[in-house]
Amino acid sequence: MSKKTTISAAFILFIAFTAYIGLDAYQTNVHDSKSSMFESISTTVDASESGQATDQGTGEAGKVASETGKATGQSGYSSNTSDSDRSGDASLRNASLATFNDAIVDIADQTTPTVVTVRTAQTVRVRQMDPFSMFFGEPGSGQVRERVRRGLGSGVIVSDDGIILTNHHVIEDATEIIVDTYDGNEYTAEVVGTDPMMDIAVLRVDVEGLPSISLGNSDDVRVGELVLAVGSPLDESLAHSVSMGIISAKGRSIGIYENVAGYENFLQTDAAINPGNSGGALVNMDGELIGINSAIASRSGGNQGIGFAIPMNMARQAMESILKEGRVVRGYLGITWGGDVDQTMARALRLDRPNGIIIGSVQEGGPADKAGLQSEDVIISIDGESIRGWAQLRTKIASTPPGENIELEVIRNGRKRVVTVVLEALDSEQLASSTPTTDGIEDEVATQATELLEELGISFTALTDELRERARVSDEVEGVLVSSVSESSKAFRQGLRPGDVITQIQGEAVDSPASAGRVLLSLKQEGDEAFLLRIQRQGQRLFVAIDF
């Protein structure tokens, strides 16, 4: 019998065992409560429920039992269970539990050697302040010294030729990466490539024959299924720790990567994840890798039962792209976001339920345009998966390789239709949004300006006659429309809102997303710490200052 079959059988036995325990506990509680309250009729109740006549526990024996509270012969709810029966039941329960326990141990034995500890070192230069320089020298003078910052994380060996998956934030800016394997060896690792937008990094160690883990299909993961988390929490001395829990939710978006236009579709688990577990393995009951542990939600800084893992299918797409192309190549749709469909919008559009997104605009000549998508179409599903909002759609697009077909279910003028789109590849290595936020900006400036807008959490779109009417802006006014602002961004906190029309940035007029991107990039490169926006909001002229 294969290990996978053994594990599955053990899981079924465990469920049956749990149900049996629950029933047995229920019967015991019933017996305890009823025997104390209704001892005088316990024999009669037992006989009526079992549907069998008893030779004992009736007559005088029953009376004695009811008067003294001591059962003689077969009396009360325990009359149908002998000592040998109870002993046999206990043995069965113990055997079922032992089988399930052995199955979990087998999974831990199989997967733990594939998880490594990742130690990093980063050399930084700091100025050693001279306390006398304030009085006798130049303020700010002093010796520059180098210091080494050290970090700790985890990783997973995914092939026997030394390929390791971990988080980008584990090895970011590291000048040295050391990998400690389960057998006590340590190796220097090189970075093959990283994907900051998904927080994935691919490492390689120059050794063959390493134990590697099987990759699972994270799309098949179900809420409630058992998982193991393996990693090196808190300290090197706690390396290869194993914890157990369940998948408590899927499709989580918590905003830690979206702030920089990243992609989130986390698996949520209550298996213990702590600092140092980042980059470690989330394993299913078949011993397969279904996620890369990445983050926790905590008010204390430690585990509080809410951890997040990057689904394996997302991590695999990024890894395969890095290994094949040397960079991350993402799918590209070529639309801008016009808004998520809430309840009010669903009623206005006569939709059955509030789900989907509205297309703001379609890039001319892009994949969406070629497939016939139009502005104001409502996308309600992608490949049969219901769309809850923009973050889910853009993550799905970015996780799909260029050249593949996707099926979008859209509503146009109240009618549903299915549109097949062939995704294309983005030009930029880092940009993974299906939204062209800086139309018209070209080449290297385009990439830098786009990345800056993503850091600021702002998206622009050109003013059209329809948008002018909605924003109450006359034809004489030149500017650029703010199509979206991340609610966690500085721009949002300092007052910028979607629908604002920016006419000037730091006193310089702008009339397109391209010009706005160039002005902001120039200010940033010149070292400005903040910039002033002149905006129009529903006919009012306002000023908003925003920090870089």
Side-chain angles (χ1 to χ4, degrees), residues 173-308:
D173 297 326
T175 53
E176 182 183 40
I177 303 172
I178 301 296
V179 167
D180 297 326
T181 56
Y182 184 71
D183 59 8
N185 290 318
E186 67 174 46
Y187 305 96
T188 299
E190 64 171 335
V191 178
V192 181
T194 70
D195 182 4
M197 299 299 186
M198 285 186 183
D199 197 21
I200 289 294
V202 180
L203 308 179
R204 178 185 283 116
V205 293
D206 188 16
V207 60
E208 295 186 357
L210 293 175
S212 61
I213 195 168
S214 298
L215 305 185
N217 183 356
S218 56
D219 289 345
D220 293 340
V221 171
R222 297 177 298 168
V223 173
E225 72 172 86
L226 293 167
V227 290
L228 300 182
V230 188
S232 304
L234 303 177
D235 189 82
E236 295 176 44
S237 61
L238 301 177
H240 302 97
S241 294
V242 179
S243 61
M244 181 174 172
I246 64 169
I247 297 293
S248 48
K250 294 176 60 178
R252 288 298 199 207
S253 178
I254 56 178
I256 57 176
Y257 305 140
E258 287 182 352
N259 294 343
V260 290
Y263 302 94
E264 299 179 5
N265 188 32
F266 290 118
L267 300 174
Q268 180 180 312
T269 180
D270 65 352
I273 296 176
N274 287 284
N277 275 112
S278 289
L282 190 68
V283 181
N284 64 13
M285 290 295 100
D286 291 326
E288 298 171 332
L289 181 67
I290 59 170
I292 301 296
N293 298 325
S294 185
I296 59 175
S298 175
R299 295 179 177 176
S300 65
N303 173 59
Q304 291 189 320
I306 305 177
F308 302 98

Side-chain angles (χ1 to χ4, degrees), residues 486-503:
S486 171
E487 293 188 6
S488 59
S489 66
K490 293 179 181 178
F492 187 87
R493 292 196 299 270
Q494 291 165 337
L496 191 65
R497 293 293 182 269
D500 289 345
V501 176
I502 300 174
T503 59

Side-chain angles (χ1 to χ4, degrees), residues 77-383:
Y77 280 89
S78 60
S79 60
N80 292 329
T81 304
S82 66
D83 290 342
S84 62
D85 290 337
R86 286 194 295 270
S87 177
D89 291 343
S91 298
L92 176 61
R93 290 196 297 269
N94 290 339
S96 300
L97 184 58
T99 301
F100 175 71
N101 180 75
D102 290 343
I104 297 298
V105 172
D106 287 344
I107 297 171
D109 287 344
Q110 172 187 344
T111 58
T112 300
T114 70
V115 178
V116 300
T117 300
V118 179
R119 294 182 287 121
T120 63
Q122 178 186 1
T123 303
V124 296
R125 296 169 63 87
V126 295
R127 185 176 296 277
Q128 189 75 29
M129 296 301 298
D130 182 355
F132 297 102
S133 64
M134 297 178 59
F135 305 100
F136 303 107
E138 291 292 331
S141 64
Q143 294 182 344
V144 176
R145 295 185 178 180
E146 290 187 348
R147 290 184 179 177
V148 177
R149 294 176 182 171
R150 302 193 182 278
L152 180 71
S154 304
V156 190
I157 305 171
V158 294
S159 70
D160 57 8
D161 58 351
I163 298 298
I164 296 171
L165 267 183
T166 186
N167 287 138
H168 167 76
H169 76 261
V170 170
I171 55 89
E172 185 176 10
D173 297 326
T175 53
E176 182 183 40
I177 303 172
I178 301 296
V179 167
D180 297 326
T181 56
Y182 184 71
D183 59 8
N185 290 318
E186 67 174 46
Y187 305 96
T188 299
E190 64 171 335
V191 178
V192 181
T194 70
D195 182 4
M197 299 299 186
M198 285 186 183
D199 197 21
I200 289 294
V202 180
L203 308 179
R204 178 185 283 116
V205 293
D206 188 16
V207 60
E208 295 186 357
L210 293 175
S212 61
I213 195 168
S214 298
L215 305 185
N217 183 356
S218 56
D219 289 345
D220 293 340
V221 171
R222 297 177 298 168
V223 173
E225 72 172 86
L226 293 167
V227 290
L228 300 182
V230 188
S232 304
L234 303 177
D235 189 82
E236 295 176 44
S237 61
L238 301 177
H240 302 97
S241 294
V242 179
S243 61
M244 181 174 172
I246 64 169
I247 297 293
S248 48
K250 294 176 60 178
R252 288 298 199 207
S253 178
I254 56 178
I256 57 176
Y257 305 140
E258 287 182 352
N259 294 343
V260 290
Y263 302 94
E264 299 179 5
N265 188 32
F266 290 118
L267 300 174
Q268 180 180 312
T269 180
D270 65 352
I273 296 176
N274 287 284
N277 275 112
S278 289
L282 190 68
V283 181
N284 64 13
M285 290 295 100
D286 291 326
E288 298 171 332
L289 181 67
I290 59 170
I292 301 296
N293 298 325
S294 185
I296 59 175
S298 175
R299 295 179 177 176
S300 65
N303 173 59
Q304 291 189 320
I306 305 177
F308 302 98
I310 300 167
M312 190 58 228
N313 289 6
M314 286 179 61
R316 176 169 21 208
Q317 191 275 330
M319 176 185 70
E320 291 177 350
S321 180
I322 289 171
L323 292 175
K324 181 179 179 180
E325 305 289 342
R327 62 189 181 95
V328 179
V329 180
R330 306 189 193 281
Y332 167 62
L333 183 59
I335 65 172
T336 62
W337 175 69
D340 291 341
V341 177
D342 57 16
Q343 291 185 351
T344 302
M345 191 174 292
R347 289 195 298 268
L349 296 172
R350 298 180 181 179
L351 302 180
D352 296 334
R353 54 180 179 169
N355 74 285
I357 68 104
I358 298 177
I359 296 178
S361 63
V362 178
Q363 185 181 31
E364 185 177 355
D369 184 40
K370 294 175 183 177
L373 290 175
Q374 299 177 8
S375 176
E376 299 186 12
D377 282 351
V378 179
I379 302 176
I380 60 175
S381 74
I382 176 172
D383 291 337

